[in-house]
Amino acid sequence: MNLIPTLNLTRIWALVFAVTAWGGGVVALADDGKYEAKVIWATNDEKLPDDKKFEPTDPETRAKLESLGLKWKNFYEVKRVKFDAPNGESGKVAISEKSSLSVKELPGKKVEVVFYTKDGKECSRREQTFKRGEMLVHGGNVPENATAWLVTLKKLK
Amino acid sequence: MNEETLLKLQAYLDGELSAGERTEVETLLQGNAEARALLTELGNTAKTLAAYEAEIKLPETREFYWSKIQREIARQSAPSRVQGFSLAATLRRLLVPTGAFAAVAIAIMLSLPRGGGDGGDYFSASGDAVAFTYQNYKTGTTLIWFDFSSENDFSDASSGDTLN
């Protein structure tokens, strides 16, 4: 009886697939995360003030913001910042003059996101699973003109 | 003739009446031609039906035929044979409910919101910040909403990139 398994074509392909998948996983683990943050202005005004040259936010971001049930109808992108998280940690990234955030990748596709105010003071700290396609939104009212500011965060890679 | 009379005529024909009722019907028949005609018709019908009734003949004797029926009834009502110990059968008995339980547990786990709800997440607001979170699991969007006072940094009109 021949106890040595025959290396037929199917077994070879299975071996190639397994090695590729394992290698891909290793590469993915070693890769740095890429993130994108946007400063969004939420308003019900149909017309922007003349000194504001903001563009309406992209449809994906708009759809996610609308899913939160906010009371504002129009969302304008004020600023967009892309940043990396080398070795799973972004450090403090300035999003605007008044806000910054940091992202730390944790096991189990979780992240810890810390939001800072203008003076660098920690404002909030949240830990949750965060995958591509998901969005974390920080926001608050601007009472003077009944609008709101938003900072969106999504994972690019 | 009323219905009761018709029924009595039929019963007379079938021999189901008492002696007194028979006398009563015979008296009626003597004085009522319609009743006589009906009785004749009923009698003819009965004879016709009897002539064409299918005769079923048993292939065996009556006793043997019924003994077969009796044996079949006894066989079907007897308890099933007790089987010996079977590892496969025992495993099947254990695995079927266990598998069903596992399937239900998996279905419940899959139906739960994924991506971590507040139960598995951690959130804290620091300093003067008062905040709450809201999560739309369907769109994978989480909101952290701050309730700052109007003097907060974000509404500072003197700042360069203020929104107001």
Side-chain angles (χ1 to χ4, degrees):
Chain A
M1 185 168 39
N2 184 12
L3 296 175
I4 302 172
T6 309
L7 276 179
N8 57 25
L9 200 58
T10 307
R11 284 201 173 94
I12 291 170
W13 275 115
L15 189 65
V16 169
F17 178 78
V19 169
T20 308
W22 176 78
V26 170
V27 169
L29 284 174
D31 217 355
D32 300 329
K34 289 189 181 298
Y35 294 86
E36 181 184 76
K38 291 176 189 168
V39 179
I40 308 267
W41 183 36
T43 176
N44 281 328
D45 294 338
E46 297 296 335
K47 189 175 180 301
L48 282 173
D50 292 337
D51 60 331
K52 308 293 185 193
K53 305 294 181 191
F54 305 141
E55 290 294 321
T57 191
D58 60 284
E60 181 200 356
T61 303
R62 179 182 179 82
K64 287 193 179 295
L65 294 177
E66 285 177 340
S67 78
L68 295 172
L70 298 171
K71 64 180 180 181
W72 297 278
K73 291 184 293 183
N74 302 313
F75 302 98
Y76 294 97
E77 184 175 322
V78 177
K79 192 175 181 183
R80 184 186 298 206
V81 178
K82 290 183 180 178
F83 59 94
D84 298 330
N87 300 318
E89 291 195 48
S90 69
K92 194 183 288 187
V93 179
I95 305 302
S96 70
E97 274 192 29
K98 310 176 197 65
S99 64
S100 54
L101 55 80
S102 66
V103 177
K104 183 179 179 183
E105 295 178 341
L106 304 171
K109 294 188 176 179
K110 280 193 161 191
V111 292
E112 181 188 65
V113 179
V114 184
F115 196 76
Y116 305 91
T117 53
K118 183 180 179 180
D119 53 3
K121 195 167 63 177
E122 181 178 320
C123 192
S124 75
R125 182 178 291 265
R126 181 172 178 81
E127 187 179 306
Q128 69 170 72
T129 53
F130 196 56
K131 292 174 280 189
R132 281 183 63 187
E134 295 183 339
M135 186 172 280
L136 181 62
V137 183
H138 292 80
N141 287 305
V142 181
E144 287 84 347
N145 52 17
T147 62
W149 61 270
L150 303 165
V151 175
T152 64
L153 176 70
K154 72 174 184 178
K155 187 178 174 70
L156 298 177
K157 185 178 170 186
Chain B
M1 279 188 293
N2 58 25
E3 188 177 350
E4 188 184 356
T5 308
L6 293 173
L7 289 172
K8 277 197 172 177
L9 278 174
Q10 180 66 60
Y12 175 80
L13 188 68
D14 295 337
E16 296 172 347
L17 295 179
S18 63
E21 286 174 325
R22 285 184 66 83
T23 307
E24 189 181 326
V25 171
E26 283 165 357
T27 306
L28 172 70
L29 288 170
Q30 284 173 6
N32 191 326
E34 189 184 0
R36 286 197 299 273
L38 179 61
L39 184 68
T40 306
E41 186 62 34
L42 287 171
N44 290 338
T45 304
K47 284 176 190 168
T48 305
L49 289 174
Y52 285 94
E53 190 172 4
E55 187 178 2
I56 299 171
K57 290 189 175 178
L58 295 175
E60 301 99 3
T61 63
R62 179 184 293 267
E63 291 73 18
F64 181 69
Y65 184 76
W66 283 110
S67 72
K68 283 204 305 185
I69 294 174
Q70 197 172 19
R71 280 199 302 274
E72 185 62 19
I73 291 171
R75 189 187 67 79
Q76 289 188 10
S77 58
S80 60
R81 187 169 57 89
V82 177
Q83 295 180 345
F85 175 77
S86 164
L87 181 62
T90 306
L91 281 176
R92 197 161 48 241
R93 277 199 300 276
L94 288 173
L95 288 178
V96 167
T98 308
F101 178 78
V104 170
I106 289 169
I108 290 171
M109 279 194 292
L110 289 177
S111 67
L112 289 175
R114 282 178 291 173
D118 276 342
D121 300 339
Y122 169 79
F123 174 73
S124 71
S126 310
D128 298 331
V130 178
F132 69 87
T133 62
Y134 167 72
Q135 210 159 12
N136 187 323
Y137 295 107
K138 191 176 177 185
T139 61
T141 311
T142 305
L143 174 68
I144 300 172
W145 194 255
F146 297 101
D147 186 15
F148 290 108
S149 65
S150 59
E151 289 79 28
N152 72 80
D153 291 337
F154 299 101
S155 58
D156 180 5
S158 63
S159 181
D161 65 348
T162 183
L163 298 176
N164 60 6

